[in-house]
Amino acid sequence: MDIEEKIQLITQNLQALDAEHLKADAQFGEVDQRKIFVYAEKYLPMPEMGYTKRIHLMNPMVPGLTGGKMSSSEEDSKIDLLDSSESVAKKLQRAFCEAGNTDNGVLAFIKYVLFPLNEDSGFSVEKGNVRLSFSKYSELEEAFLKQEVDPDSLKRSVERCLNKLLDPIRNDFDSEANRKLTMDAYPKVMTSVVGELERNDTAEKNSISNSLVALELEKEAKYQLIAKNLKAVVNTDGLRKILTERDPHILWGISTGGKPDVSYFVQMCKISDFLKAGCKVTVILADLHSFLDNRKTPWNLMSARSAYFEKVIREMLLSIGAPIEKVSFVRGTDYQLHKDYTLNVYRLSTIVSVRDAQVAGEDAIRQVEHPLLASRLYPLLQSLDEEQLKVDAHFGGEDQTKIFQFAQKYLPKLGFKSRIHLIGHTAPKLPGGKVGLTEEESKIDLLETKKNLKKKLGKTFCEPGNIDNNPILAFIRHVLIPLGDGRGFALKRPAEFGGDISFSDYVSLESAFANQEIHPADLKNAVEVYLNDLIEPIRTAFQNSANAALITSAYPPPKKEAVAKGGGGGGGGKDGDKPSPVALDIRVGKIVEVKKHPTSETLYVLSVDLSESEPRLVVSGLANILSSDQLLNRLGVFLCNLRPATLLGVESKAMLLCASRNEPKFIELLDPPSSSKPGDVIFLKDGLSESCSQKSELKKKLWEKLQGDLKVNADGKFVWKDSPFITELGDITCKTLTGVPVK
C-alpha cells in the first residue's frame, strides 16, 4: 500500500468517526461520499467499536463547468465565491453547454441551486429582448431540449443570478481584515486574483462610492420587481436602459364592458409591483374599445361604466396596500375622437391587412359568426394608445399577446417607436363558466356578500389532486401568495383532519394538493377567508350613497319586455311563441375530410357525408382543440337546417354539435349508436320531434332559444330539457362528459 492509499484510508476512518464524536444523528454529503458512508455503516456498529449506525443524506453531484467533475485543481471547472464579475462571465462563456444536451454543469446549477433558492419566482431567461419565465425546472429543461432556449441566453441569465448571489460575499471580503484572511489561507490563489484585478483596473473600480453601488442594486431590484411573476417581458434591454435613466411609464388598458370581479386582483398585484418599483402607471378606461367590441358597453352607458371602473380599481389597489400616488386614469374617448388620433387610425388602416387585424384581435375580442368592421379597428386603436400616451411599456394578459405583436410590427411603419410589452398571466375566473350558471353566477363580484361568496366558491371546480386546471390554486398562486409578501399561505382545519397547516411558498402547497394531502374543501375555506379580507374594504367603500349610485348608473336593471301574444305554429315561428324542438333537423354525419381553414388557424373545414348527393362543407372551430386525426372518419351529430353561413370566405352548410365544458376547457363529440350510418335521422324519444329530415330552414332566433336546453344529462345522454334524442338504433351519448351544455 503506497502513501496515498494510506492517507485515503486514514481520511475515511476520520470521517466515519466524526459522526460519533459529534453525536450527530445524520451525516450529509454529496454522492461522491457514498463509499465512505457505506464504510461507516459497516464498521461503526461492529462489536469492536460498538457505535450506532448513522443516517446518511446524499446530495446530487453538480458537474463542473467544463463537463467533467468539478475540481479544485481545474480552475475553469468551478467559479470561486470571490471571483470578479468579469471572471464569472469568462468562465461561464467557456463552460460546456451544448444546445439540446441537458447533461451539463450550467443546467445542473440552475436545477440544484437557483430553482431551490427561488421557489416562488422560478427562473427567467432573457432571449434577445424577450423574457421567458419558468416556474419549474422541468419546463426549462424541456425548452432547452427543444432548443427554444439557447446556451448563450441560459449562461447570461445564470451570470446575472450568480453575481447577485456573490455580491454580498465579495463586499464582505473587501475589508482589509478579510482580504488578509483569504490571502493567508490561499496565498497562491489570491496572488493570481490580485493580478487579474490589477489587469482589469479594479483598483479604480473600488474607488466608486457606496452610493453608486447602491444605485445599481436599486436599479436591478426595480427591474426584478417589475418582471416578477410575469409570463414574459418583451424588450428586456429597453426596460433596463430606461431604468438607468428614470422610472418607466407603464400603460394598462381595461375594457369597461363587463363588471369587474375578483379575478382582476391578478392585474392589481402586478400594478402594485409597478408602483412599488417607482413606475408611473396610466390606466386606460377603454370605453370606446368596449363599444367597438360588439357593443359590450352601450354608448349611453360608457361614461357611467368608466366612473364605476375608476372607483373600483382605486379601491382594489388600496385594499392590497398599493401606493396609488403615481396612478392616473384616462378614458379612451378623452383623446380617441381627436383629429390627430383619428388621422393616425386612417394612416394605419392603409397599411394593415384585414387578415392581420383579424389575427391580432382573435384572442382579445369576442368572436362572432359575422364579425363587424368595428372589431377589426380594435387592435389599431389599442396599438396607437401607446404612442398617443407616450408610454414606455404596455402591460396586459396573455390574451393581449397578438395585439402586442401587431403593435411591434406596425407602429414603426408610421415612424413611431416600438414599446416594451409586459405579458401577465391569465386571470382565473371563480367559479368559472359552468353549466347552468348565468354570467352573474359565473364570477365573484367585488361587492359579493359573504353568503354568496361562500356559495360560489363551493361551486368552483377544484378536483382532488388536479393542479393543472384548478382555478382555486391559480388564484392562490397569482394573487394570495404574491400579496402574502413572504408570509406564505395558511389553512385552518379541525384536528381530526390534520389540524392547521401553513405553506411558506406556492410550490409546497401545490405539491401537497397534488398528493391529496389537502382536501379541496379545506382549500376553498381558506380562500374564502382571504377573499373576504380582500374585498371587505371595497364593500365598505360602496356602502355610501354616492358610490352606490355609481353602480345603479353603470349597470341599470334590465327593462322587462312585453311578451308577444298569438300563436305562431311551425314550432315557434314568432318571437313570442314557446320554442319547440320540432323545428330541428339533426342527423348523423360522417366526417370524410378535414382541412385547415385557408385564412384562420382556429378553424377546420370538414367535408361531411350526410347521405346526400355530395358531402356538405362544415366550418368548425375545433382546430386548436382536436387534431384532424381525432375527427377524420368519425361519426358525429349535425344540425342541418340552419341557413348557410359564410365564415371567413368559406360557406358552412351545417353545424357540428359537441358537448362543451368551460372550466376546465374540454370539448367532446357526441356519439350516435355504433351501427349508425350517415343520414340517420335523430329525433326525440317522447315524440316532441318528428322523425323526418325534410324540415324548413331554422330561424336563428329560434335556434338560440332551443340551444339553451340542449345538454348531456347526468347519464351521459344527449337531451332537450329532460327528453333524450335517439335514432332508430338507440341513444345519442357522450363518452366522458355529463351535465354539460351541447353547443
Side-chain angles (χ1 to χ4, degrees), residues 462-523:
C462 187
E463 184 181 33
N466 184 343
I467 61 174
D468 296 320
N469 297 297
N470 191 320
I472 294 286
L473 278 177
F475 190 80
I476 294 170
R477 178 179 183 181
H478 296 301
V479 177
L480 300 183
I481 292 288
L483 289 179
D485 198 22
R487 295 189 298 272
F489 184 79
L491 292 96
K492 293 187 178 297
R493 303 183 296 188
E496 61 267 30
F497 296 121
D500 297 350
I501 186 171
S502 295
F503 298 92
S504 60
D505 53 68
Y506 175 76
V507 173
S508 55
L509 170 64
E510 183 187 79
S511 175
F513 190 82
N515 294 328
Q516 299 192 33
E517 298 165 11
I518 301 297
H519 192 275
D522 294 325
L523 202 63

Side-chain angles (χ1 to χ4, degrees), residues 85-102:
S85 57
E86 293 83 359
S87 181
V88 169
K90 288 178 183 177
K91 288 182 178 181
L92 281 171
Q93 191 175 8
R94 293 193 292 261
F96 173 78
C97 187
E98 186 179 42
N101 183 352
T102 59

Side-chain angles (χ1 to χ4, degrees), residues 8-18 36 39 43-44:
Q8 185 177 356
L9 185 58
I10 293 171
T11 300
Q12 65 188 40
N13 282 334
L14 292 173
Q15 186 170 331
L17 288 168
D18 285 343
I36 296 179
Y39 178 89
Y43 286 104
L44 286 188

Side-chain angles (χ1 to χ4, degrees), residues 25 49 66 80 127 186 226 268 270 303 347 356 389 404 477 566 599 645 660 706 708:
D25 299 311
M49 303 296 292
T66 54
D80 191 86
K127 185 178 180 182
Y186 302 96
I226 292 169
M268 295 303 109
K270 274 316 305 172
S303 179
R347 289 176 61 207
D356 277 2
L389 298 172
F404 289 164
R477 178 179 183 181
T599 61
S660 175
L706 290 169

